[in-house]
Amino acid sequence: MNRYTLQDFVNQTEQQDKGEGLFELETQRMLEVNLESKIWAKSGSMVSYMGNIKFTREGILEHGIGKMFKKALTGEGASLMKAEGEGKLYLADQGKKISILNLYDDSIFVNGNDLLAFEPSVSWDIKLMRKVAGMLSGGLFNIHLSGRGMIAITSHYEPLTLRVTPSRPVFTDPNATVAWSGSLQPEFVTDVSLKTFFGRGSGESIQMKFSGEGFVVIQPFEEVYFSGDNNG
């Protein structure tokens, strides 16, 4: 039998048009963007493109001086690039699993390192987590996205969504927290007793506490961030 031929490999892995619109999951770890005008994407996430597409690193005053100062304070992570033109664009981020979300007057917070791409119609703002600046090594900011349009987020392996209710708050490890609904405002709590169970320093004792009504998305992986890494 002529198995595993080169033609078999091409047939099995070849790009397919699914007709799903602007954002398509070409694979679970590769986002296809059917670009017709402009999108924002995480810097360094382009792996291939076809057509006439121009890439521009985000201008320092592109989104207003307020966001510029916030980004200077975070010092990492949420560096964006603008892709303009027409064609097919393929985005990926370290082999992480991609989830597409279509906002219909919704809002969501996404960890700054886990936002892959979004439409210009989506409003966004950087939210700093100042209270824990001295406790966690990076990952100190998230991005609030709202309005209408498509966004793509990433997670290490399969994401799990936990419901938050007034009678049942949810506690998470900050480094395993991907996103949460816009109705929630996390607070940071410290559990000194957890230090005795983990040998990796004080980070394990800090938890995010979500109270109210909404949801939290977590991943089965603790992502450690390093200050000064702008490029993702």
Side-chain angles (χ1 to χ4, degrees), residues 6 33 44 53 61 106 112 116 139 141 149 158-159 185 199 209 226 230:
L6 188 57
V33 181
I53 301 176
L61 292 174
D106 306 305
L116 181 63
F141 68 98
E158 286 68 30
Q185 292 288 343
K209 179 183 179 181
F226 298 96
N230 272 336

Side-chain angles (χ1 to χ4, degrees), residues 24-42:
E24 294 184 7
L25 284 181
E26 188 60 37
T27 71
Q28 290 187 336
R29 303 173 193 281
M30 186 87 69
L31 179 70
E32 178 183 285
V33 181
N34 294 298
L35 191 64
E36 294 182 348
S37 57
K38 179 175 74 173
I39 65 151
W40 287 101
K42 184 176 183 178

Side-chain angles (χ1 to χ4, degrees), residues 19-138:
E20 295 174 355
L22 177 66
F23 286 179
E24 294 184 7
L25 284 181
E26 188 60 37
T27 71
Q28 290 187 336
R29 303 173 193 281
M30 186 87 69
L31 179 70
E32 178 183 285
V33 181
N34 294 298
L35 191 64
E36 294 182 348
S37 57
K38 179 175 74 173
I39 65 151
W40 287 101
K42 184 176 183 178
S43 290
S45 63
M46 187 278 288
V47 292
S48 182
Y49 71 91
M50 296 177 283
N52 184 20
I53 301 176
K54 178 185 177 184
F55 299 92
T56 311
R57 181 174 279 275
E58 177 187 20
I60 194 164
L61 292 174
E62 183 118 26
H63 301 288
I65 198 161
K67 287 181 183 175
M68 180 191 75
F69 283 133
K70 288 179 185 178
K71 292 190 68 160
L73 285 169
T74 61
E76 58 173 291
S79 181
L80 298 172
M81 66 179 182
K82 183 166 49 178
E84 297 177 281
E86 294 184 1
K88 287 187 180 295
L89 170 61
Y90 295 92
L91 304 175
D93 186 13
Q94 300 178 358
K96 293 162 70 174
K97 186 178 175 70
I98 299 168
S99 299
I100 297 173
L101 308 174
N102 207 345
L103 300 185
Y104 292 96
D105 296 321
D106 306 305
S107 67
I108 187 171
F109 288 93
V110 180
N111 184 297
N113 201 48
D114 297 321
L115 180 61
L116 181 63
F118 59 94
E119 284 190 79
S121 59
V122 175
S123 299
W124 65 280
D125 195 15
I126 296 172
K127 304 291 183 180
L128 298 180
M129 299 181 186
R130 291 189 182 88
K131 292 181 180 178
V132 292
M135 303 181 200
L136 293 174
S137 57

